Amino acid sequence: MPDASPPCIALLGFSIECNKFAPPATKAHFIARTYLEGDAIIEEARSPNPTMLPEIPGFVAAMDAAGPWAPVGIALAMTEPNGPVEHSFFVELLDTITHRLEAALPVDAVYICSHGAGLTTEEDDPDGVLFERVREIVGPDIPIAATLDLHANVSERMVQSIDVFIGYRTNPHLDMRERGAEAATAIRAMLGGLKPQRAFVRLPIVPPTVTMLTAAGPYAEMIDFAQSRMSPEILNVSVMGGFAFADTAKNGLTVVVTARHDKGAAEALAGEIAELGWANRARFFPQLTSLDEAVTKALVVGRDNSVPSLAFADVADNPGGGGRGNTTFLLRAFYEAGVSGALLGVFYDPDLAAEAHRRGVSASFEARFNRSETTKFSEPYTAPATVVALTDGNCVGRRGIYAGLRLELGPCAALEIGGITVVVISHRVQCADPIFFEMMGLDIGRARSVVVKSRGHFRGGFDEFFGPDQIVEIDLPGLTSPMLNRFEWKRLPRPVIPLDQNVEWVRV
Ligand SMILES: [Zn+2]
């Protein structure tokens, strides 16, 4: 008699992008966003507005739709990009995952939701450590599928420890749910007997994230070419741009191909896509606008309503890459130049938000930004302000990467500073969703310029207001500046593009 019991699938995850130049991430950061154990993971994944990113909800929905299964939630720790994770917490998480997974055995398959650019204060490849641990626990024959952010820095250990490697294909990341569903399809196929083979190639290119958009450009061309080469033999192609600021030896643009059976086919295709990336290498250099030029543009649109409005991206202070969301260079320049009709957000300053709440709507006061400074870029700044709106910061994402997610920004305040209305928040997050302005009663459609502290994910949220020609990426100091030559790198493989001259790629 065939075994009629539904397949038992373990779900677990560790998801954070870490910037080695930013202050450490603690357990509290995960608890404030998403830290779950056991059945709570599945319940949260099935809820209408989960706090977690959509890979696990997409995986669970696809598994639910495809037939009976028995999910076993293990543990999930996921939070906003930050500095390296305190090693003691990572060890604690690894122990929790180990004990819970061992207790769940035997399982038929494992799904791992991972970012791939995690760090701890002592380990440069915690994602690889996790993958390897899971493999050790379940043994060589149990299928493991993992989804990863396309900013993952891929190690050999990561690729070799799992069966199917699935990276995002869109930047801004709008396909997280689909990639989770793809992992479910792959696991179903492996439960039916499929034994996939993987190959990967890494290039000596560490692309600044602004050169890694998927609508157009050198990275988009690699992804499009990869998708054009899909065939019945190829299960997945992932072109992983990586995350420069992790500063690890495993950094570098990487192509990972998962074939159904034929390792040679996987290797050949990975090499072909890497060749295209190498041919495009001169295009992985950022083109930014100077602050002076940005001020001039903002003054023009502020004075003349017939000119299309502009979005100014403070790409160097992107909380989505570990930035603190609190540099004042742009606020100061716009205010002192007399820019009008501007919105600026979201500025992370819990002290200032709390003071605005104490003072109340309509109060005018000297707003002191960064009274508790956090990095050398977080300079104090004082300007006369009027409180125009206050909220508790609880909202549901409306558009882009946060669409449908339950978000808590903590006490928020909208402060009018000259011709600029600044949204101040208490829980650090990147400005990727128009809801962050709209929940304060601010009208993005009427603003002449909108400053976003975001590198690129704002494009997925604000595209209904700003086309690609209305976006200005500004060159400013900060923890996530695309000008990589301004950082002191310790572990990046060298020589590497775009930092060095005469870089060679030795094909192996
Ligand atoms: Zn990413």
Side-chain angles (χ1 to χ4, degrees):
M1 255 188 68
D3 184 357
S5 61
C8 176
I9 316 291
L11 285 83
L12 57 98
F14 168 66
S15 180
I16 178 171
E17 180 181 81
C18 296
N19 181 323
K20 204 166 260 176
F21 304 93
T26 65
K27 184 176 184 176
H29 289 109
F30 289 92
I31 288 172
R33 179 65 187 269
T34 301
Y35 182 86
L36 299 164
E37 293 180 10
D39 291 342
I41 299 171
I42 318 299
E43 285 163 24
E44 181 70 12
R46 285 177 175 148
S47 76
N49 300 114
T51 60
M52 65 180 79
L53 292 172
E55 303 101 312
I56 294 179
F59 179 86
V60 168
M63 288 301 295
D64 286 346
W69 67 303
V72 183
I74 303 294
L76 169 67
M78 175 183 276
T79 192
E80 287 291 314
N82 210 327
V85 177
E86 281 185 353
H87 193 68
S88 58
F89 171 64
F90 180 68
V91 170
E92 181 190 324
L93 174 68
L94 210 53
D95 284 350
T96 303
I97 288 172
T98 300
H99 294 140
R100 283 185 165 271
L101 188 54
E102 283 174 348
L105 295 179
V107 297
D108 297 297
V110 182
Y111 166 51
I112 306 175
C113 173
S114 170
H115 184 287
L119 299 171
T120 81
T121 47
E122 295 176 25
E123 170 62 55
D124 273 3
D125 186 24
D127 299 274
V129 170
L130 172 64
F131 290 13
E132 192 173 59
R133 175 69 63 90
V134 171
R135 175 56 78 201
E136 282 165 11
I137 295 168
V138 300
D141 299 326
I142 298 298
I144 303 174
T147 53
L148 296 104
D149 190 296
L150 60 73
H151 292 106
N153 295 317
V154 181
S155 66
E156 175 147 21
R157 173 162 55 179
M158 286 159 71
V159 178
Q160 299 313 336
S161 301
I162 62 175
D163 296 285
V164 179
F165 184 111
I166 300 171
Y168 303 166
R169 289 181 211 146
T170 59
N171 186 22
H173 306 329
L174 302 175
D175 65 335
M176 293 183 266
R177 195 176 173 86
E178 286 82 352
R179 298 289 75 76
E182 185 180 341
T185 305
I187 280 185
R188 291 275 185 192
M190 290 189 284
L191 291 173
L194 187 71
K195 286 288 286 178
Q197 302 290 319
R198 293 156 316 290
F200 87 110
V201 176
R202 186 187 296 130
L203 286 163
I205 302 175
V206 174
T209 46
V210 294
T211 67
M212 277 172 55
L213 296 173
T214 53
Y219 184 62
E221 288 164 26
M222 291 179 78
I223 290 187
D224 291 347
F225 177 67
Q227 290 311 303
S228 77
R229 296 300 311 274
M230 289 299 289
S231 69
E233 173 55 28
I234 302 300
L235 198 61
N236 178 277
V237 184
S238 296
V239 182
M240 313 302 279
F243 182 62
F245 304 110
D247 190 19
T248 69
K250 61 174 179 155
N251 272 79
L253 212 170
T254 303
V255 182
V256 187
V257 178
T258 306
R260 287 180 187 274
H261 317 279
D262 184 351
K263 194 172 175 69
E267 285 168 346
L269 183 53
E272 224 179 312
I273 299 162
E275 290 280 358
L276 174 64
W278 187 242
N280 276 339
R281 61 192 179 277
R283 296 164 64 198
F284 287 105
F285 290 81
Q287 308 287 332
L288 303 178
T289 298
S290 72
L291 181 57
D292 286 351
E293 215 178 315
V295 168
T296 303
K297 286 176 187 285
L299 285 170
V300 169
V301 297
R303 286 181 194 133
D304 185 351
N305 280 345
S306 67
V307 180
S309 58
L310 293 174
F312 294 92
D314 189 352
V315 295
D317 187 30
N318 170 28
R324 309 332 281 168
N326 66 4
T327 68
T328 57
F329 305 106
L330 212 141
L331 169 62
R332 185 187 304 225
F334 274 25
Y335 173 66
E336 288 172 4
V339 168
S340 58
L343 301 178
L344 186 152
V346 280
F347 196 103
Y348 170 62
D349 194 329
D351 297 331
L352 183 55
E355 183 177 355
H357 275 256
R358 277 197 307 276
R359 291 179 179 273
V361 172
S362 302
S364 292
F365 68 113
E366 287 290 308
R368 290 192 297 131
F369 290 87
N370 293 333
R371 64 193 77 176
S372 328
E373 160 276 341
T374 50
T375 75
K376 64 176 176 177
F377 299 114
S378 314
E379 292 181 358
Y381 180 59
T382 301
T386 302
V387 182
V388 294
L390 298 168
T391 70
D392 63 7
N394 294 332
C395 60
V396 173
R398 182 169 80 73
R399 198 171 169 80
I401 59 163
Y402 295 136
L405 267 63
R406 200 168 74 248
L407 298 159
E408 295 172 1
L409 277 59
C412 295
L415 305 180
E416 200 173 82
I417 297 176
I420 308 157
T421 304
V422 182
V423 175
V424 182
I425 61 172
S426 296
H427 297 164
R428 196 176 54 88
V429 67
Q430 69 174 306
C431 192
D433 196 311
I435 196 76
F436 301 160
F437 292 108
E438 292 162 350
M439 72 176 176
M440 310 304 298
L442 302 171
D443 187 344
I444 296 166
R446 292 184 59 186
R448 300 305 300 141
S449 45
V450 176
V451 178
V452 288
K453 285 189 176 286
S454 171
R455 180 273 313 161
H457 288 321
F458 70 95
R459 291 170 185 266
F462 291 77
D463 57 343
E464 56 185 11
F465 302 103
F466 302 100
D469 296 344
Q470 289 168 276
I471 293 171
V472 183
E473 294 172 328
I474 309 175
D475 184 6
L476 289 166
L479 284 173
T480 60
S481 168
M483 310 309 276
L484 301 186
N485 54 0
R486 294 180 192 161
F487 294 79
E488 268 188 52
W489 305 99
K490 292 199 170 73
R491 307 253 172 100
L492 282 191
R494 304 295 286 267
V496 75
I497 290 169
L499 291 168
D500 300 305
Q501 306 289 325
N502 305 320
V503 181
E504 284 185 36
W505 171 38
V506 182
R507 296 155 183 78
V508 285

